[in-house]
Amino acid sequence: MSAYYYFFKMRILTTLAYRFEVFTAVASNAVMLLATVFLWKAAYRGIGSVQEVSQHQMIVYAILSVVMGAVLSVNVQDDMYYRVREGHIATDFIKPVQLLGMFLAEDLGTTVSALVNRAVPLILLASILFTPPLPVSLTAFLLFVPSLMLSFLLLWLMGAIVGMISFWVLELGNLGIVKDAIVRILSGSLIPIWFFPDWMGTVSAYLPFQYMYQTPLSIYIGKITHSQAGTALAIQAAWIAVLAFIAYAVWQRAKRVTLIQGG
Amino acid sequence: MIELSNVVKEYTVIKKKSGLSGSIKSLFKPEKTIVRGVDGISFRIEKGEMVGYLGPNGAGKSTTIKMLTGILHPTSGTVRIGGISPQENRKSVVKQLGVVFGQRTQLYWDLRLGESFELLKRIYRIDEETYQSNLEMMYEVLGIDQLINTPVRQLSLGQRMKGDLAAAMLHSPSILFLDEPTIGLDVEAKQNIRSFIREMNAKRGTTIILTTHDLDDVEQLCKRLIVINHGKVVEDGPLSELILRMAPYRLLVLDLSEMPDPQTLHHHGAELIKQEGLKLTYRFHKSDISASELISGLSAKLSVVDLGVKEPDIEDMIREMYRSSSTA
Ligand SMILES: Nc1ncnc2c1ncn2[C@@H]1O[C@H](COP(=O)(O)OP(=O)(O)OP(=O)(O)O)[C@@H](O)[C@H]1O
Ligand SMILES: [Mg+2]
């Protein structure tokens, strides 16, 4: 059993052990869930559909977006920043492991345990209060799953790249917040891009962000056809290749400039 | 084995100006200053040596260790461990290194001590047999078998340090770097850790490089000292030789029964350095005169009721080395 698998496994065990943290996280996600669903209900009042998306589809989109946000755990950015800032990165570098692999294994562990302890309660809650967030078809669901995995990788690589910047600038705090805000808006996690003006849709098609949330969610609710979904998956994969390359290049440099804080 | 030649490490420090306008200014035009943490260090350490790496605060000890372990890249000069650069071949070099930073732990905060060990077993790909026998040995020498199920964050400082030492030795490294391994520990724990270090060196031939501010550590552990100050090596040699050279004198303290005649105080082999009422302190060099010669010479002239000889002190020696290198 490799070290990365052990990181993954232990992360699942430790996150499952922190019950209170789970409780507060689910509670805050539940608030988000209520707020967005009520907002969409109000927005759709008296309107049948917008851009061929019905109110029901939109509500499923909103519910699933909150669930995705709660499940896909990307802590690499904050972890890296924290470890550089506190000087713990020194003890990571003295071990013969790939640091990024370790962070990825841990985030995967958190994500897997979040499927159990966050997704399940949120989906149950949504089903009771609103509607069970079911996919439009089985095929859609089967396309959604790989797309979701690619979304995770995209989000993760983005977080890793921003986190690595802490090797140069320790005042990362604001940069991380800016990035998170951009992802929130441009990924379609709050409001799908099709509600924005056309030019934004055009620009956004050439940026990686909408492939992080909107793509899997659109597949799930049937906003895009199966063949369009195939293309979307390919674009996701291409962005992963680009970001992975950037991450690798930045990482090679970051290692050289390591500054270790403290004696 | 371990080789540094002309190693320099410069840190770029960005000066923060105070006040709002100051911080805006430094945002756009940061004022950089360069600090030399290490300023041209060269030395060689052979396999199986036990070396004390000493120097006052800020001398550059930790910086050197971080370069030797591949964490930091030197600004110039070369670092080699077994002929390989730890910067270029980090993963292959760190496999043979054990490192303990007294100030921070390499154990995993969220895991139990035993789980941390299990993780290290996988990170270093230690085979089951070696792992078990090493673990057994750590239990025996450090007495940590009771702690194996305790979460790392619940360990006391001394317990954690023992855990860290065990963690550093699990993969049977050939070199062990210890950066202040006894900092903040009680007398008992210090003794445990010292005997552990001695044992690793004696039984396994582990090369040990130790930085410390604890002089008992130095006295009990280090056969050779490398002393640095302001990023430069100021002394390098066997402990006994350095003591002889830097602090070659002994002190003789005499208690008298009556006030002495000032004329009788002089002795050709020693120097009177202190006189407080009936208490006299002489300083003499080992090589000039023996203690018994001096005592008999002085007691012939003075009414001595009690006496004591103080051996050259490692503390005096270190103080002398730091002092002379600071003024130079
Ligand atoms: N991350 C850093 N950024 C800037 N300067 C640093 C940094 N780390 C160390 N220095 C500077 O480099 C010099 C050497 O520091 P180092 O930590 O190597 O000292 P040390 O010998 O370990 O001291 P101590 O006995 O206090 O642990 C000091 O002047 C310190 O201020
Ligand atoms: Mg130090």
Side-chain angles (χ1 to χ4, degrees):
Chain A
M1 192 169 65
S2 89
Y4 303 105
Y5 181 68
Y6 198 80
F7 275 118
F8 171 70
K9 190 182 94 177
M10 293 320 290
R11 179 49 72 98
I12 294 180
L13 294 181
T14 46
T15 41
L16 287 179
Y18 286 125
R19 300 248 166 67
F20 187 71
E21 206 172 280
V22 168
F23 178 75
T24 52
V26 168
S28 71
N29 285 317
V31 171
M32 191 68 194
L33 185 76
L34 295 181
T36 50
V37 173
F38 283 130
L39 199 78
W40 286 116
K41 282 196 165 170
Y44 265 85
R45 187 159 299 150
I47 306 170
S49 70
V50 180
Q51 301 245 355
E52 292 155 14
V53 175
S54 69
Q55 178 182 348
H56 174 76
Q57 279 176 303
M58 198 53 231
I59 286 174
V60 172
Y61 185 107
I63 294 171
L64 220 67
S65 176
V66 172
V67 174
M68 261 179 83
V71 169
L72 301 182
S73 316
V74 176
N75 299 316
V76 59
Q77 179 182 309
D78 295 342
D79 283 352
M80 207 174 304
Y81 173 64
Y82 169 77
R83 296 195 74 76
V84 171
R85 192 189 166 84
E86 301 292 315
H88 298 311
I89 201 91
T91 58
D92 300 325
F93 272 136
I94 56 170
K95 298 187 179 114
V97 278
Q98 289 296 342
L99 208 53
L100 289 179
M102 185 187 93
F103 284 130
L104 180 59
E106 289 191 333
D107 278 345
L108 279 171
T110 316
T111 298
V112 168
S113 59
L115 277 176
V116 182
N117 62 17
R118 297 195 184 176
V120 172
L122 282 172
I123 288 174
L124 276 179
L125 188 72
S127 307
I128 294 164
L129 292 178
F130 309 110
T131 173
L134 296 175
V136 68
S137 67
L138 182 63
T139 324
F141 182 74
L142 294 178
L143 287 166
F144 164 77
V145 173
S147 180
L148 181 68
M149 291 176 180
L150 295 176
S151 286
F152 173 79
L153 281 178
L154 277 173
L155 284 165
W156 191 85
L157 285 167
M158 192 63 108
I161 292 169
V162 175
M164 281 176 213
I165 296 175
S166 52
F167 282 80
W168 284 274
V169 277
L170 272 176
E171 294 80 4
L172 182 68
N174 297 331
L175 188 62
I177 292 168
V178 170
K179 179 227 125 194
D180 290 345
I182 291 175
V183 169
R184 227 155 211 277
I185 306 294
L186 294 184
S187 67
S189 79
L190 281 178
I191 304 165
I193 303 295
W194 62 76
F195 283 99
F196 288 97
D198 284 347
W199 64 267
M200 240 184 104
T202 317
V203 172
S204 164
Y206 293 97
L207 294 173
F209 304 105
Q210 71 173 41
Y211 305 101
M212 295 170 178
Y213 273 85
Q214 186 165 309
T215 299
L217 291 172
S218 300
I219 295 174
Y220 193 86
I221 63 165
K223 159 78 174 151
I224 57 178
T225 65
H226 296 163
S227 68
Q228 283 172 320
T231 318
L233 282 169
I235 298 176
Q236 282 188 304
W239 270 114
I240 288 172
V242 171
L243 292 186
F245 176 78
I246 296 174
Y248 178 80
V250 176
W251 182 238
Q252 292 308 316
R253 274 154 216 274
K255 282 196 288 194
R256 295 198 67 88
V257 299
T258 323
L259 272 184
I260 309 295
Q261 305 302 312
Chain B
M1 179 96 234
I2 297 172
E3 213 174 349
L4 269 89
S5 54
N6 295 314
V7 172
V8 172
K9 176 71 196 178
E10 288 176 344
Y11 291 107
T12 313
V13 185
I14 295 173
K15 252 205 200 144
K16 282 244 175 76
K17 298 190 195 93
S18 57
L20 181 64
S21 71
S23 40
I24 291 172
K25 250 186 233 154
S26 43
L27 190 64
F28 291 104
K29 229 180 136 199
E31 196 176 302
K32 291 181 180 171
T33 45
I34 298 212
V35 177
R36 283 209 161 187
V38 162
D39 189 9
I41 282 187
S42 307
F43 59 74
R44 252 186 91 85
I45 293 173
E46 301 303 331
K47 191 167 168 30
E49 277 196 82
M50 183 131 78
V51 179
Y53 193 54
L54 309 186
N57 290 130
K61 303 179 296 294
S62 299
T63 304
T64 313
I65 301 235
K66 284 169 192 162
M67 286 190 285
L68 283 167
T69 49
I71 299 167
L72 289 180
H73 288 243
T75 310
S76 67
T78 55
V79 179
R80 292 285 178 274
I81 296 214
I84 308 172
S85 155
Q87 279 74 30
E88 276 144 42
N89 275 306
R90 182 178 72 86
K91 279 203 348 187
S92 68
V93 172
V94 294
K95 265 185 210 152
Q96 1 155 5
L97 306 182
V99 187
V100 174
F101 294 110
Q103 321 257 20
R104 61 173 45 112
T105 183
Q106 60 158 316
L107 303 168
Y108 294 84
W109 216 234
D110 289 329
L111 303 184
R112 295 166 201 282
L113 186 59
E115 289 166 346
S116 277
F117 292 163
E118 283 285 321
L119 184 50
L120 291 169
K121 174 187 169 197
R122 289 172 176 88
I123 289 177
Y124 289 97
R125 299 166 191 276
I126 311 169
D127 65 76
E128 186 62 32
E129 202 178 319
T130 316
Y131 177 72
Q132 287 304 339
S133 79
N134 277 351
L135 208 54
E136 206 90 328
M137 174 160 191
M138 298 308 149
Y139 287 170
E140 198 178 303
V141 185
L142 292 167
I144 48 172
D145 35 344
Q146 309 295 322
L147 304 172
I148 215 79
N149 282 320
T150 314
V152 171
R153 77 187 109 78
Q154 287 173 15
L155 296 174
S156 78
L157 179 65
Q159 294 169 335
R160 201 217 77 204
M161 200 74 88
K162 288 178 185 171
D164 258 304
L165 280 165
M169 287 305 294
L170 276 181
H171 56 292
S172 327
S174 54
I175 303 170
L176 181 60
F177 291 102
L178 302 167
D179 195 351
E180 305 195 38
T182 55
I183 190 166
L185 301 190
D186 70 34
V187 188
E188 173 88 24
K190 278 186 184 176
Q191 277 310 339
N192 280 338
I193 283 176
R194 284 180 199 134
S195 54
F196 170 82
I197 296 170
R198 258 195 305 268
E199 194 140 327
M200 290 302 119
N201 178 258
K203 284 204 179 143
R204 301 184 160 199
T206 312
T207 310
I208 290 169
I209 291 98
L210 166 80
T211 84
T212 183
H213 293 292
D214 186 312
L215 300 173
D216 293 330
D217 286 351
V218 177
E219 187 162 26
Q220 296 181 29
L221 295 173
C222 308
K223 294 181 194 91
R224 172 181 167 196
L225 296 188
I226 298 176
V227 182
I228 66 166
N229 201 356
H230 303 303
K232 291 193 165 76
V233 175
V234 293
E235 293 292 340
D236 180 354
L239 176 63
S240 49
E241 228 170 72
L242 287 178
I243 293 183
L244 214 57
R245 187 148 55 80
M246 300 303 297
Y249 42 77
R250 303 156 108 180
L251 298 179
L252 174 66
V253 182
L254 299 178
D255 282 320
L256 307 180
S257 58
E258 55 191 53
M259 275 312 265
D261 177 355
Q263 312 265 295
T264 61
L265 290 178
H266 177 75
H267 191 280
H268 67 275
E271 183 190 351
L272 178 65
I273 57 167
K274 205 156 74 181
Q275 181 176 9
E276 288 170 327
L278 293 173
K279 201 179 198 82
L280 305 178
T281 307
Y282 286 90
R283 184 164 79 179
F284 63 105
H285 283 217
K286 249 180 176 165
S287 48
D288 292 351
I289 189 168
S290 75
S292 63
E293 228 178 303
L294 181 63
I295 291 165
S296 61
L298 284 171
S299 52
K301 299 189 281 180
L302 303 166
S303 52
V304 177
V305 288
D306 198 5
L307 61 82
V309 178
K310 199 167 157 267
E311 283 302 314
D313 192 322
I314 197 158
E315 190 177 332
D316 298 335
M317 170 195 81
I318 302 257
R319 197 182 299 124
E320 177 62 23
M321 283 194 282
Y322 290 179
R323 195 190 56 76
S324 62
S325 61
S326 286
T327 51

mmCIF file of all heavy atoms in Angstrom, chain A residues 259-263, chain B residues 11-13 35-37 55-64 66 103 179-180 213 228, ligand 1:
data_model
loop_
_atom_site.group_PDB
_atom_site.id
_atom_site.type_symbol
_atom_site.label_atom_id
_atom_site.label_comp_id
_atom_site.label_asym_id
_atom_site.label_seq_id
_atom_site.Cartn_x
_atom_site.Cartn_y
_atom_site.Cartn_z
ATOM 1 N N LEU A 259 11.389 29.511 0.846
ATOM 2 C CA LEU A 259 11.867 30.223 2.012
ATOM 3 C C LEU A 259 11.253 29.525 3.194
ATOM 4 O O LEU A 259 10.060 29.281 3.206
ATOM 5 C CB LEU A 259 11.378 31.668 1.980
ATOM 6 C CG LEU A 259 12.279 32.632 1.232
ATOM 7 C CD1 LEU A 259 11.741 34.029 1.359
ATOM 8 C CD2 LEU A 259 13.688 32.583 1.807
ATOM 9 N N ILE A 260 12.079 29.166 4.149
ATOM 10 C CA ILE A 260 11.516 28.492 5.298
ATOM 11 C C ILE A 260 11.426 29.493 6.431
ATOM 12 O O ILE A 260 12.419 30.102 6.804
ATOM 13 C CB ILE A 260 12.388 27.306 5.727
ATOM 14 C CG1 ILE A 260 12.679 26.406 4.539
ATOM 15 C CG2 ILE A 260 11.733 26.543 6.861
ATOM 16 C CD1 ILE A 260 11.488 25.713 3.945
ATOM 17 N N GLN A 261 10.253 29.657 6.943
ATOM 18 C CA GLN A 261 10.072 30.609 8.021
ATOM 19 C C GLN A 261 10.452 29.968 9.344
ATOM 20 O O GLN A 261 10.103 28.829 9.601
ATOM 21 C CB GLN A 261 8.612 31.085 8.062
ATOM 22 C CG GLN A 261 8.136 31.657 6.760
ATOM 23 C CD GLN A 261 8.978 32.826 6.288
ATOM 24 O OE1 GLN A 261 9.258 33.732 7.072
ATOM 25 N NE2 GLN A 261 9.394 32.808 5.047
ATOM 26 N N GLY A 262 11.139 30.725 10.171
ATOM 27 C CA GLY A 262 11.424 30.263 11.522
ATOM 28 C C GLY A 262 12.616 29.333 11.602
ATOM 29 O O GLY A 262 12.961 28.677 10.639
ATOM 30 N N GLY A 263 13.240 29.309 12.850
ATOM 31 C CA GLY A 263 14.457 28.529 13.078
ATOM 32 C C GLY A 263 14.172 27.061 12.909
ATOM 33 O O GLY A 263 14.835 26.211 13.337
ATOM 34 N N TYR B 11 19.378 35.636 2.105
ATOM 35 C CA TYR B 11 17.936 35.807 2.197
ATOM 36 C C TYR B 11 17.595 37.211 1.733
ATOM 37 O O TYR B 11 18.282 38.164 2.095
ATOM 38 C CB TYR B 11 17.455 35.678 3.640
ATOM 39 C CG TYR B 11 17.552 34.296 4.219
ATOM 40 C CD1 TYR B 11 18.516 33.980 5.173
ATOM 41 C CD2 TYR B 11 16.645 33.311 3.858
ATOM 42 C CE1 TYR B 11 18.579 32.720 5.737
ATOM 43 C CE2 TYR B 11 16.702 32.045 4.419
ATOM 44 C CZ TYR B 11 17.671 31.755 5.358
ATOM 45 O OH TYR B 11 17.733 30.509 5.921
ATOM 46 N N THR B 12 16.566 37.305 0.928
ATOM 47 C CA THR B 12 16.085 38.633 0.567
ATOM 48 C C THR B 12 14.966 38.991 1.528
ATOM 49 O O THR B 12 13.975 38.277 1.639
ATOM 50 C CB THR B 12 15.538 38.633 -0.857
ATOM 51 O OG1 THR B 12 16.485 37.968 -1.684
ATOM 52 C CG2 THR B 12 15.330 40.042 -1.359
ATOM 53 N N VAL B 13 15.163 40.065 2.228
ATOM 54 C CA VAL B 13 14.154 40.472 3.193
ATOM 55 C C VAL B 13 13.497 41.741 2.692
ATOM 56 O O VAL B 13 14.181 42.699 2.327
ATOM 57 C CB VAL B 13 14.790 40.731 4.570
ATOM 58 C CG1 VAL B 13 13.717 41.047 5.600
ATOM 59 C CG2 VAL B 13 15.582 39.517 5.004
ATOM 60 N N VAL B 35 20.218 39.566 3.398
ATOM 61 C CA VAL B 35 20.840 39.094 4.630
ATOM 62 C C VAL B 35 21.612 37.829 4.295
ATOM 63 O O VAL B 35 21.073 36.920 3.670
ATOM 64 C CB VAL B 35 19.759 38.752 5.683
ATOM 65 C CG1 VAL B 35 20.403 38.197 6.937
ATOM 66 C CG2 VAL B 35 18.914 39.961 5.998
ATOM 67 N N ARG B 36 22.869 37.786 4.712
ATOM 68 C CA ARG B 36 23.638 36.562 4.498
ATOM 69 C C ARG B 36 23.457 35.649 5.692
ATOM 70 O O ARG B 36 24.032 35.877 6.746
ATOM 71 C CB ARG B 36 25.116 36.885 4.304
ATOM 72 C CG ARG B 36 25.413 37.415 2.939
ATOM 73 C CD ARG B 36 26.824 37.079 2.506
ATOM 74 N NE ARG B 36 26.858 37.207 1.054
ATOM 75 C CZ ARG B 36 27.885 36.863 0.303
ATOM 76 N NH1 ARG B 36 28.954 36.352 0.855
ATOM 77 N NH2 ARG B 36 27.841 37.015 -0.992
ATOM 78 N N GLY B 37 22.675 34.629 5.530
ATOM 79 C CA GLY B 37 22.457 33.674 6.616
ATOM 80 C C GLY B 37 23.682 32.803 6.806
ATOM 81 O O GLY B 37 24.081 32.494 7.922
ATOM 82 N N GLY B 55 27.046 27.652 17.526
ATOM 83 C CA GLY B 55 27.171 29.065 17.196
ATOM 84 C C GLY B 55 26.079 29.815 17.914
ATOM 85 O O GLY B 55 25.065 29.236 18.280
ATOM 86 N N PRO B 56 26.298 31.121 18.129
ATOM 87 C CA PRO B 56 25.273 31.905 18.828
ATOM 88 C C PRO B 56 23.992 32.010 17.995
ATOM 89 O O PRO B 56 23.974 31.630 16.831
ATOM 90 C CB PRO B 56 25.931 33.276 19.017
ATOM 91 C CG PRO B 56 27.058 33.317 18.054
ATOM 92 C CD PRO B 56 27.474 31.907 17.789
ATOM 93 N N ASN B 57 22.944 32.556 18.585
ATOM 94 C CA ASN B 57 21.682 32.735 17.871
ATOM 95 C C ASN B 57 21.885 33.503 16.583
ATOM 96 O O ASN B 57 22.590 34.505 16.549
ATOM 97 C CB ASN B 57 20.670 33.520 18.729
ATOM 98 C CG ASN B 57 20.177 32.696 19.904
ATOM 99 O OD1 ASN B 57 20.188 33.152 21.036
ATOM 100 N ND2 ASN B 57 19.771 31.488 19.642
ATOM 101 N N GLY B 58 21.299 33.010 15.529
ATOM 102 C CA GLY B 58 21.375 33.709 14.251
ATOM 103 C C GLY B 58 22.675 33.484 13.505
ATOM 104 O O GLY B 58 22.957 34.142 12.512
ATOM 105 N N ALA B 59 23.491 32.530 13.972
ATOM 106 C CA ALA B 59 24.799 32.316 13.346
ATOM 107 C C ALA B 59 24.679 31.668 11.964
ATOM 108 O O ALA B 59 25.547 31.830 11.120
ATOM 109 C CB ALA B 59 25.668 31.440 14.250
ATOM 110 N N GLY B 60 23.600 30.928 11.759
ATOM 111 C CA GLY B 60 23.430 30.263 10.472
ATOM 112 C C GLY B 60 23.368 28.746 10.561
ATOM 113 O O GLY B 60 23.470 28.059 9.551
ATOM 114 N N LYS B 61 23.190 28.225 11.764
ATOM 115 C CA LYS B 61 23.168 26.769 11.955
ATOM 116 C C LYS B 61 21.982 26.124 11.247
ATOM 117 O O LYS B 61 22.144 25.201 10.459
ATOM 118 C CB LYS B 61 23.114 26.432 13.457
ATOM 119 C CG LYS B 61 24.250 27.022 14.261
ATOM 120 C CD LYS B 61 24.141 26.673 15.726
ATOM 121 C CE LYS B 61 22.907 27.252 16.413
ATOM 122 N NZ LYS B 61 22.891 28.725 16.497
ATOM 123 N N SER B 62 20.795 26.638 11.552
ATOM 124 C CA SER B 62 19.604 26.027 10.950
ATOM 125 C C SER B 62 19.621 26.181 9.443
ATOM 126 O O SER B 62 19.215 25.274 8.710
ATOM 127 C CB SER B 62 18.344 26.655 11.527
ATOM 128 O OG SER B 62 18.290 26.444 12.912
ATOM 129 N N THR B 63 20.107 27.310 8.989
ATOM 130 C CA THR B 63 20.204 27.535 7.546
ATOM 131 C C THR B 63 21.093 26.469 6.908
ATOM 132 O O THR B 63 20.760 25.904 5.862
ATOM 133 C CB THR B 63 20.785 28.940 7.283
ATOM 134 O OG1 THR B 63 19.954 29.895 7.942
ATOM 135 C CG2 THR B 63 20.835 29.251 5.802
ATOM 136 N N THR B 64 22.229 26.167 7.559
ATOM 137 C CA THR B 64 23.124 25.139 7.024
ATOM 138 C C THR B 64 22.413 23.795 6.966
ATOM 139 O O THR B 64 22.478 23.085 5.963
ATOM 140 C CB THR B 64 24.375 25.001 7.919
ATOM 141 O OG1 THR B 64 24.892 26.293 8.192
ATOM 142 C CG2 THR B 64 25.428 24.150 7.249
ATOM 143 N N LYS B 66 19.302 23.169 6.777
ATOM 144 C CA LYS B 66 18.269 23.155 5.741
ATOM 145 C C LYS B 66 18.878 22.980 4.354
ATOM 146 O O LYS B 66 18.250 22.412 3.463
ATOM 147 C CB LYS B 66 17.435 24.431 5.807
ATOM 148 C CG LYS B 66 16.444 24.405 6.970
ATOM 149 C CD LYS B 66 15.818 25.746 7.198
ATOM 150 C CE LYS B 66 15.068 25.757 8.517
ATOM 151 N NZ LYS B 66 14.801 27.133 8.973
ATOM 152 N N GLN B 103 12.227 22.438 17.021
ATOM 153 C CA GLN B 103 11.187 23.463 17.124
ATOM 154 C C GLN B 103 9.879 23.051 16.469
ATOM 155 O O GLN B 103 8.865 23.683 16.675
ATOM 156 C CB GLN B 103 11.636 24.738 16.418
ATOM 157 C CG GLN B 103 13.072 25.046 16.618
ATOM 158 C CD GLN B 103 13.265 26.133 17.617
ATOM 159 O OE1 GLN B 103 12.372 26.394 18.417
ATOM 160 N NE2 GLN B 103 14.396 26.781 17.591
ATOM 161 N N ASP B 179 18.502 19.368 15.006
ATOM 162 C CA ASP B 179 18.553 20.808 15.244
ATOM 163 C C ASP B 179 17.860 21.095 16.570
ATOM 164 O O ASP B 179 16.641 21.111 16.654
ATOM 165 C CB ASP B 179 17.871 21.550 14.081
ATOM 166 C CG ASP B 179 18.196 23.044 14.080
ATOM 167 O OD1 ASP B 179 18.809 23.524 15.062
ATOM 168 O OD2 ASP B 179 17.845 23.723 13.104
ATOM 169 N N GLU B 180 18.665 21.272 17.596
ATOM 170 C CA GLU B 180 18.187 21.516 18.958
ATOM 171 C C GLU B 180 17.196 20.457 19.443
ATOM 172 O O GLU B 180 16.038 20.752 19.722
ATOM 173 C CB GLU B 180 17.553 22.914 19.047
ATOM 174 C CG GLU B 180 18.519 23.990 18.564
ATOM 175 C CD GLU B 180 18.074 25.388 18.977
ATOM 176 O OE1 GLU B 180 17.557 25.510 20.096
ATOM 177 O OE2 GLU B 180 18.248 26.323 18.189
ATOM 178 N N HIS B 213 22.165 24.550 22.063
ATOM 179 C CA HIS B 213 22.715 25.590 22.933
ATOM 180 C C HIS B 213 22.961 25.009 24.315
ATOM 181 O O HIS B 213 23.329 25.723 25.239
ATOM 182 C CB HIS B 213 21.747 26.770 23.016
ATOM 183 C CG HIS B 213 21.617 27.506 21.717
ATOM 184 N ND1 HIS B 213 22.649 28.235 21.175
ATOM 185 C CD2 HIS B 213 20.601 27.601 20.839
ATOM 186 C CE1 HIS B 213 22.251 28.753 20.021
ATOM 187 N NE2 HIS B 213 21.009 28.373 19.791
ATOM 188 N N ILE B 228 30.384 28.138 14.312
ATOM 189 C CA ILE B 228 30.226 29.198 13.329
ATOM 190 C C ILE B 228 29.716 30.455 14.008
ATOM 191 O O ILE B 228 29.121 30.412 15.084
ATOM 192 C CB ILE B 228 29.268 28.807 12.172
ATOM 193 C CG1 ILE B 228 27.833 28.609 12.660
ATOM 194 C CG2 ILE B 228 29.760 27.568 11.466
ATOM 195 C CD1 ILE B 228 26.827 28.567 11.527
HETATM 196 N N1 LIG C 1 13.346 32.912 6.198
HETATM 197 C C1 LIG C 1 14.273 33.836 6.462
HETATM 198 N N2 LIG C 1 14.187 35.057 5.907
HETATM 199 C C2 LIG C 1 15.115 35.985 6.156
HETATM 200 N N3 LIG C 1 16.179 35.817 6.959
HETATM 201 C C3 LIG C 1 16.335 34.629 7.544
HETATM 202 C C4 LIG C 1 15.395 33.565 7.342
HETATM 203 N N4 LIG C 1 15.808 32.499 8.040
HETATM 204 C C5 LIG C 1 16.942 32.864 8.671
HETATM 205 N N5 LIG C 1 17.274 34.136 8.383
HETATM 206 C C6 LIG C 1 18.463 34.877 8.876
HETATM 207 O O1 LIG C 1 19.621 34.109 8.644
HETATM 208 C C7 LIG C 1 20.491 34.147 9.768
HETATM 209 C C8 LIG C 1 20.806 32.738 10.236
HETATM 210 O O2 LIG C 1 19.642 32.139 10.756
HETATM 211 P P1 LIG C 1 19.600 30.660 11.309
HETATM 212 O O3 LIG C 1 18.173 30.317 11.580
HETATM 213 O O4 LIG C 1 20.355 29.772 10.399
HETATM 214 O O5 LIG C 1 20.373 30.804 12.691
HETATM 215 P P2 LIG C 1 20.709 29.726 13.803
HETATM 216 O O6 LIG C 1 22.176 29.619 13.866
HETATM 217 O O7 LIG C 1 19.937 28.498 13.581
HETATM 218 O O8 LIG C 1 20.203 30.471 15.109
HETATM 219 P P3 LIG C 1 19.481 29.895 16.433
HETATM 220 O O9 LIG C 1 20.541 29.439 17.340
HETATM 221 O O10 LIG C 1 18.827 31.121 16.983
HETATM 222 O O11 LIG C 1 18.523 28.842 16.005
HETATM 223 C C9 LIG C 1 19.801 35.013 10.805
HETATM 224 O O12 LIG C 1 20.382 36.280 10.740
HETATM 225 C C10 LIG C 1 18.371 35.063 10.372
HETATM 226 O O13 LIG C 1 17.807 36.298 10.686
#
